[in-house]
Amino acid sequence: QVQLVESGGGLVQAGGSLRLSCAASGRTFSSYVMAWFRQAPGKERAIVAAISWNGGNTVYADSVKGRFTIFRDNALNTVYLQMTSLKVEDTALYYCAADFPGRLSDSTWYAHEYDYWGQGTQVTVSS
């Protein structure tokens, strides 16, 4: 069992930055792919980024490439999402998710693949 708790969301102006954190419970954190998804009102939940068990491989949605960075610290059981050059369209509820095993695959992109989810943290970008 893995419990995930997100933090770091808030209100920021367009062009600004935020860092989201997701703290995981359990001793097997390093066994999981970790990902960030987001869901805006009226839209489906969509992947933002994912990272393999050791941080060696990452994937990003096209809309955030070059602006967002996902990274993890297995010693702290935490995954992060550094967001820069934020846009109004980045406004959403951001969720942390975990998938076992820890290797990225074609299914990494799909929410139904993930075993555990956090409660979400709101990111609002103002113009």
Side-chain angles (χ1 to χ4, degrees):
Q1 190 79 0
V2 176
Q3 291 185 324
L4 305 173
V5 179
E6 302 98 335
S7 62
L11 175 64
V12 63
Q13 285 191 325
S17 299
L18 279 176
R19 177 179 289 186
L20 305 183
S21 300
C22 173
S25 66
R27 294 175 292 177
T28 58
F29 175 76
S30 62
S31 300
Y32 290 82
V33 162
M34 298 300 299
W36 288 94
F37 284 76
R38 66 186 181 186
Q39 187 166 19
K43 294 189 176 181
E44 292 187 356
R45 192 172 298 192
I47 195 166
V48 175
I51 188 167
S52 62
W53 69 276
N54 64 352
N57 292 286
T58 56
V59 294
Y60 295 92
D62 286 344
S63 59
V64 306
K65 280 181 182 176
R67 300 188 298 121
F68 291 10
T69 303
I70 187 171
F71 58 102
R72 67 192 295 165
D73 187 333
N74 286 346
L76 296 178
N77 279 12
T78 302
V79 63
Y80 304 91
L81 185 69
Q82 179 68 48
M83 305 185 294
T84 63
S85 301
L86 281 160
K87 303 176 180 180
V88 172
E89 51 264 42
D90 294 319
T91 295
L93 189 59
Y94 283 71
Y95 296 92
C96 174
D99 176 36
F100 182 85
R103 294 181 298 277
L104 301 183
S105 68
D106 289 344
S107 59
T108 294
W109 298 94
Y110 302 106
H112 64 73
E113 177 70 13
Y114 289 77
D115 305 301
Y116 302 101
W117 291 85
Q119 295 295 316
T121 186
Q122 179 67 38
V123 172
T124 302
V125 184
S126 63
S127 57

